[in-house]
Amino acid sequence: MNVGQTGALQAMDSLSPTLDVSGPTSAVVDSDASDALPQARTTESHARGLVTFLGTGSYLPAARMGAKQTRQRIIDAGGVSLPRGFLHKMTGIESRPVRADDEYASTLAANAAQRAMQAAGVLPKAIDLLIFASASRDMIEPATAHAVQEMLGTSAHCFDMTNACNSFLNGIDVATAMIETGRASRAVVCVGETPSQSTRWDLRNREELVDHFAGLTFGDAGAAVVLGRAGDGARSEEHTSELQSR
């Protein structure tokens, strides 16, 4: 053994006196202590409380568009002439909520979030994470979450998440992960959908009607949840989410 090797071993011994590096069995791990580690982490997690829904809220615009109005709007736009009662017969939908001219995705989300916070019994200052998770948005930039934050009066870390129909579920997953890792304590995840803004009315033939038919069934709405540790709000509901992409 040369001088360098001897010095290295002495340095290792000084850092970890209980570590034997003299032979092939240089370290022995206590199996009982190792097995106890996952259980200790689980116990610690339960002691802090699971991440739950502290409150939920929803909001529907007051205005509604009936099946008869929808049919007439298609005809007025120069589209196909649908038989009377066709939309109701095909979908069972008599009417759907649509936003007013002064309502936006952020408006619907903020109204729902206010109700969720009231249900949770938390004040705006207690929210330190706000995620606007929606397919709709007010504008490309800045993030719609900032508009929602201004309406709510929160001062949280905020951002948008967009992943089509999975946006809201993805937002819940991200908020849960941030709370579990200590990056946030209470989060609002909100959605404001305004599909009425992108409905195509000039459906000129059967093929275009089939391609865009789903857009004639969607309504505008807002929804929100407040997430936090169990027992941290007025009420709590345990949740789990399993997402599977196909």
Side-chain angles (χ1 to χ4, degrees):
M1 181 180 296
N2 59 35
V3 176
Q5 290 174 322
T6 303
L9 288 177
Q10 291 175 343
M12 292 175 67
D13 287 340
S14 66
L15 290 174
S16 180
T18 59
L19 182 62
D20 181 9
V21 294
S22 60
T25 55
S26 59
V28 178
V29 178
D30 186 341
S31 60
D32 292 335
S34 177
D35 292 341
L37 288 176
Q39 181 63 36
R41 293 192 186 100
T42 302
T43 303
E44 180 184 359
S45 177
H46 280 282
R48 289 183 294 157
L50 297 174
V51 177
T52 69
F53 291 166
L54 302 179
T56 62
S58 61
Y59 176 79
L60 295 177
R64 304 190 72 83
M65 176 175 286
K68 293 181 180 179
Q69 293 172 287
T70 302
R71 171 182 176 272
Q72 189 60 48
R73 186 157 179 181
I74 294 172
I75 295 173
D76 292 344
V80 294
S81 181
L82 299 176
R84 294 185 184 275
F86 173 80
L87 292 173
H88 181 256
K89 182 178 180 180
M90 292 296 294
T91 66
I93 299 173
E94 295 183 358
S95 65
R96 55 200 173 108
V98 293
R99 69 177 188 91
D101 290 340
D102 60 348
E103 289 183 313
Y104 304 93
S106 60
T107 313
L108 306 183
N111 279 311
Q114 286 176 339
R115 294 177 178 181
M117 290 164 62
Q118 290 172 356
V122 299
L123 298 175
K125 64 182 180 180
I127 303 297
D128 52 12
L129 175 63
L130 192 156
I131 303 176
F132 177 80
S134 178
S136 302
R137 53 186 174 182
D138 289 0
M139 63 198 82
I140 297 176
E141 292 289 348
T144 300
H146 294 292
V148 175
Q149 172 142 273
E150 183 177 0
M151 295 181 213
L152 294 179
T154 56
S155 298
H157 175 52
C158 65
F159 55 88
D160 289 358
M161 285 195 65
T162 301
N163 186 23
C165 296
N166 282 333
S167 299
F168 192 55
L169 294 178
N170 292 157
I172 291 173
D173 281 346
V174 170
T176 299
M178 291 184 70
I179 293 172
E180 286 180 338
T181 56
R183 294 294 303 276
S185 56
R186 298 179 194 88
V188 167
V189 180
C190 56
V191 53
E193 296 290 3
T194 56
S196 65
Q197 286 185 288
S198 56
T199 301
R200 180 173 174 180
W201 301 106
D202 59 334
L203 306 174
R204 295 165 295 183
N205 51 53
R206 182 180 181 277
E207 288 71 24
E208 290 187 355
L209 175 63
V210 172
D211 288 344
H212 300 277
F213 189 76
L216 304 175
T217 67
F218 296 148
D220 301 335
V225 294
V226 177
L227 292 93
R229 294 287 181 183
D232 195 26
R235 64 184 184 88
S236 62
E237 301 171 6
E238 291 189 11
H239 81 280
T240 59
S241 63
E242 295 183 2
L243 301 180
Q244 184 175 18
S245 300
R246 291 182 175 87

